[in-house]
């Protein structure tokens, strides 16, 4: 059994078929899918699709330019309400993106940092883990994590250094690996995926993004997770069974509300 800890089932690429996609993935052994939100407008749809596993609420850095102060208040009241929903598992997807040019002006860097900090505070207030988007921003991500302090979470699609990975792990984080490690040229990611402690790794597809090397852009789906996992098992020289049980245990440990869910039927 597998857990896809990061999948945008509500993305337009799925044409509203997220529920069917989740069921097909389940037939392939993906027992749980965590669906992160990206902006206030998709909170309702991720809550809906989160019934196939879990969901998170938050404002993604790419959506920060259009976000308003009122969205943070809306997030807080949505989280308050979602706490009684057993499928609600985390705050996310939040973070900092210093790669996309539009997000790198001084004002946007400041606005991103503000939304990131405020959302960490919401996570802290409700005792929730966070799903982090980290792109050319690990040091800043770490700085605010240390300042504010949240009960851990997942650094999704991790692509930093060994040292940065160690610091995140120390702060209670797991690192998400997916399609990127299926490319033989992704030396750094493959090295990390094969040498980090197994206890710090979770699997994800980030579908429909980050296709594994056997798919075209935009065709990724959670059904690919077992095949992506095979690549990791090979890199680490361990069996699929060992990888499956370790990564599921890691996901449940870092997302305790997911662990509390009744087993899927
Ligand atoms: Zn994402």
């Amino acid at each position: 059994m597998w857990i896809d800890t990061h999948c945008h089932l509500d993305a337009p690429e799925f044409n509203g078929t997220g529920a069917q996609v989740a069921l097909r993935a389940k037939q392939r052994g993906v027992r749980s899918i965590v669906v992160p939100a990206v902006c206030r407008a998709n909170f309702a749809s991720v809550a809906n699709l989160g019934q196939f596993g879990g969901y998170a609420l938050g404002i993604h850095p790419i959506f920060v330019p259009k976000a308003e102060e009122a969205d943070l208040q809306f997030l807080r009241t949505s989280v308050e309400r979602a706490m009684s929903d057993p499928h609600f598992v985390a705050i996310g997807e939040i973070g900092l993106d210093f790669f996309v040019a539009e997000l790198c002006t001084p004002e946007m860097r400041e606005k991103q940092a503000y939304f990131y900090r405020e959302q960490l505070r919401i996570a802290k207030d409700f005792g929730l883990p966070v799903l982090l988007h980290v792109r050319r921003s690990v040091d800043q991500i770490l700085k605010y994590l240390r300042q504010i302090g949240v009960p851990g979470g997942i650094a999704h699609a991790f692509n930093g250094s060994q040292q940065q990975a160690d610091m995140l792990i120390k702060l209670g984080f797991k690192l998400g690996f997916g399609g990127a490690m299926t490319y033989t040229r992704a030396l750094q990611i493959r090295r990390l995926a094969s040498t980090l402690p197994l206890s710090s790794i979770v699997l994800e597809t980030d579908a429909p993004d980050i296709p594994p090397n056997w798919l075209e852009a935009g065709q990724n789906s959670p059904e690919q997770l077992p095949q992506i996992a095979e690549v990791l098992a090979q890199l680490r020289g361990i069996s699929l069974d060992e990888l499956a049980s370790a990564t599921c245990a890691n996901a449940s440990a870092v997302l305790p509300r997911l662990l509390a869910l009744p087993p899927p039927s």
Side-chain angles (χ1 to χ4, degrees):
M1 290 288 229
W2 304 101
I3 297 178
D4 186 347
T5 59
H6 197 109
C7 172
H8 297 278
L9 272 182
D10 67 312
E13 285 86 341
F14 290 119
N15 283 317
T17 64
Q20 290 98 297
V21 172
L23 290 173
R24 284 204 304 269
K26 202 166 132 186
Q27 282 160 9
R28 294 204 185 181
V30 183
R31 74 153 198 244
S32 200
I33 298 175
V34 178
V35 188
V38 294
C39 65
R40 152 184 199 156
N42 88 331
F43 287 3
S45 47
V46 300
N48 213 356
L49 290 162
Q51 306 307 311
F52 295 98
Y55 67 98
L57 295 177
I59 301 162
H60 189 294
I62 286 176
F63 288 79
V64 161
K66 291 206 174 108
E68 295 170 4
E69 181 70 35
D71 296 352
L72 289 168
Q73 193 48 52
F74 183 76
L75 173 62
R76 190 175 276 277
T77 50
S78 303
V79 168
E80 217 162 12
R81 210 174 314 124
M83 289 303 283
S84 61
D85 180 350
H87 293 274
F88 172 61
V89 299
I91 296 295
E93 175 173 357
I94 67 171
L96 297 169
D97 192 315
F98 296 147
F99 175 74
V100 177
E102 183 207 354
L103 299 173
C104 291
T105 63
E107 309 83 71
M108 270 314 143
R109 290 174 79 101
E110 193 40 56
K111 190 175 178 190
Q112 282 197 67
Y114 175 72
F115 271 76
Y116 173 53
R117 289 194 304 267
E118 291 302 308
Q119 295 187 94
L120 287 180
R121 291 203 175 96
I122 293 174
K124 185 183 182 180
D125 291 348
F126 288 90
L128 289 163
V130 295
L131 307 181
L132 293 179
H133 173 100
V134 187
R135 213 168 173 202
R136 302 243 173 115
S137 60
V138 192
D139 294 331
Q140 293 272 84
I141 287 282
L142 283 164
K143 175 178 142 191
Y144 295 121
L145 283 177
R146 289 202 184 94
Q147 262 175 31
I148 294 164
V150 296
I154 296 171
H156 121 81
F158 185 73
N159 187 13
S161 69
Q162 173 81 52
Q163 198 194 10
Q164 290 167 331
D166 292 341
M167 287 191 275
L168 279 162
I169 293 167
K170 234 181 245 160
L171 291 168
F173 279 76
K174 308 288 184 201
L175 308 176
F177 289 89
M181 74 187 163
T182 63
Y183 296 84
T184 46
R185 62 173 190 272
L187 295 177
Q188 162 91 342
I189 291 179
R190 286 164 78 92
R191 192 178 319 118
L192 282 173
S194 43
T195 59
L196 284 174
L198 185 54
S199 60
S200 61
I201 289 180
V202 293
L203 286 165
E204 61 172 54
T205 60
D206 198 25
D209 298 327
I210 319 191
N213 71 357
W214 52 87
L215 287 182
E216 302 290 318
Q219 292 184 345
N220 195 15
S221 96
E223 298 157 81
Q224 301 297 321
L225 197 66
Q227 207 181 330
I228 290 172
E230 267 176 50
V231 175
L232 183 56
Q234 255 161 33
L235 283 172
R236 297 188 68 96
I238 60 174
S239 72
L240 269 182
D241 279 351
E242 187 185 348
L243 184 64
S245 55
T247 52
C248 285
N250 297 343
S252 302
V254 80
L255 304 172
R257 289 173 63 97
L258 196 63
L259 179 65
L261 282 174
S265 49

